[in-house]
């Protein structure tokens, strides 16, 4: 991202197209439908379709014409920065939270955002040995049974480590980057 891009960057300009899961009706296996949560965009109910673990591609030749049309005009959705920003708003008030919120409002890149078993994320992705601020709370949040979200947001020589528990506010730490 160039500095000119950053100046015009906003949550409004960074919205992304709506995403839909892919579905197939067994009687028409060559036609892909867009899953809208309770039915396909063309009206097929869940009990009549098979859901797939990839996204519907409205540009694919096999896309259902009705689903294609409805997916193309679906409202856009918040970008990753806006979604993370909204979750970080509930974090404890302080300078680190304010710095992260400011960076997200300016479009800083989210290097990693995953969900999974807390202890596994702590071992493989949290980089706890690099944390210089907020470490004890992050360690405690990652030392639980169950799943959490984990995001890494790099800004200059620092990165924010954000733990997103299923219940409770986001927890933020600051760590050194790879460089």
């Amino acid at each position: 991202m160039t500095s000119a891009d950053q100046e015009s960057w906003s949550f409004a300009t960074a919205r992304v197209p709506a995403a839909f899961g892919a579905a197939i009706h067994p009687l028409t296996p060559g036609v892909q439908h867009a899953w809208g949560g309770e039915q396909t965009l063309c009206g097929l109910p869940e009990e009549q379709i098979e859901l797939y673990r990839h996204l519907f591609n409205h540009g694919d030749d096999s896309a259902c014409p009705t689903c294609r049309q409805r997916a193309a005009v679906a409202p856009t959705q918040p970008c990753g920065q806006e979604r993370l920003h909204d979750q970080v708003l509930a974090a404890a008030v302080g300078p680190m939270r304010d710095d992260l919120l400011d960076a997200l409002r300016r479009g800083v890149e989210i290097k990693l955002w995953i969900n999974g078993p807390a202890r596994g994320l702590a071992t493989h992705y949290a980089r706890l040995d690099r944390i210089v601020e907020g470490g004890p709370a992050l360690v405690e949040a990652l030392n639980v049974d169950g799943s959490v979200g984990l995001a890494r947001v790099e800004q200059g020589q620092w990165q924010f480590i954000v733990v997103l528990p299923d219940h409770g506010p986001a927890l933020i730490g600051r760590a050194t980057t790879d460089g």
Side-chain angles (χ1 to χ4, degrees), residues 107-129:
V108 69
E109 183 180 359
I110 299 170
K111 291 289 189 175
L112 174 79
W113 189 351
I114 57 176
N115 293 298
R119 288 188 178 99
L121 296 181
T123 302
H124 300 290
Y125 299 102
R127 300 181 178 170
L128 297 173
D129 60 324

Side-chain angles (χ1 to χ4, degrees), residues 38-178:
E38 295 183 18
Q39 62 184 18
T40 64
L41 296 186
C42 66
L44 295 172
E46 183 173 11
E47 56 273 1
Q48 292 182 13
I49 59 167
E50 297 173 1
L51 293 172
Y52 285 79
R53 294 188 72 162
H54 66 269
L55 295 177
F56 172 76
N57 178 355
H58 73 276
D60 191 291
D61 290 340
S62 69
C64 162
T66 302
C67 289
R68 175 189 320 220
Q69 181 182 32
R70 291 181 179 166
V73 298
T76 58
Q77 310 225 329
C79 63
Q81 289 88 342
E82 184 176 357
R83 291 191 324 269
L84 185 57
H85 175 277
D86 291 350
Q87 291 191 35
V88 169
L89 283 173
V93 175
M96 202 168 16
R97 172 186 171 255
D98 294 343
D99 290 347
L100 176 55
L101 289 172
D102 182 59
L104 290 166
R105 286 183 195 116
R106 289 184 284 110
V108 69
E109 183 180 359
I110 299 170
K111 291 289 189 175
L112 174 79
W113 189 351
I114 57 176
N115 293 298
R119 288 188 178 99
L121 296 181
T123 302
H124 300 290
Y125 299 102
R127 300 181 178 170
L128 297 173
D129 60 324
R130 296 173 188 243
I131 294 177
V132 296
E133 188 177 354
L138 293 183
V139 168
E140 184 178 332
L142 291 167
N143 190 24
V144 297
D145 294 326
S147 293
V148 298
L150 178 77
R152 285 200 324 250
V153 178
E154 287 192 12
Q155 184 183 34
Q157 66 182 8
W158 301 104
Q159 62 180 302
F160 295 99
I161 308 297
V162 184
V163 175
L164 303 158
D166 284 341
H167 305 289
L171 299 158
I172 307 165
R174 194 182 316 256
T176 58
T177 61
D178 294 338

Side-chain angles (χ1 to χ4, degrees), residues 6-17:
Q6 282 184 314
E7 289 174 17
S8 63
W9 194 96
S10 70
F11 289 154
T13 62
R15 291 186 68 84
V16 296

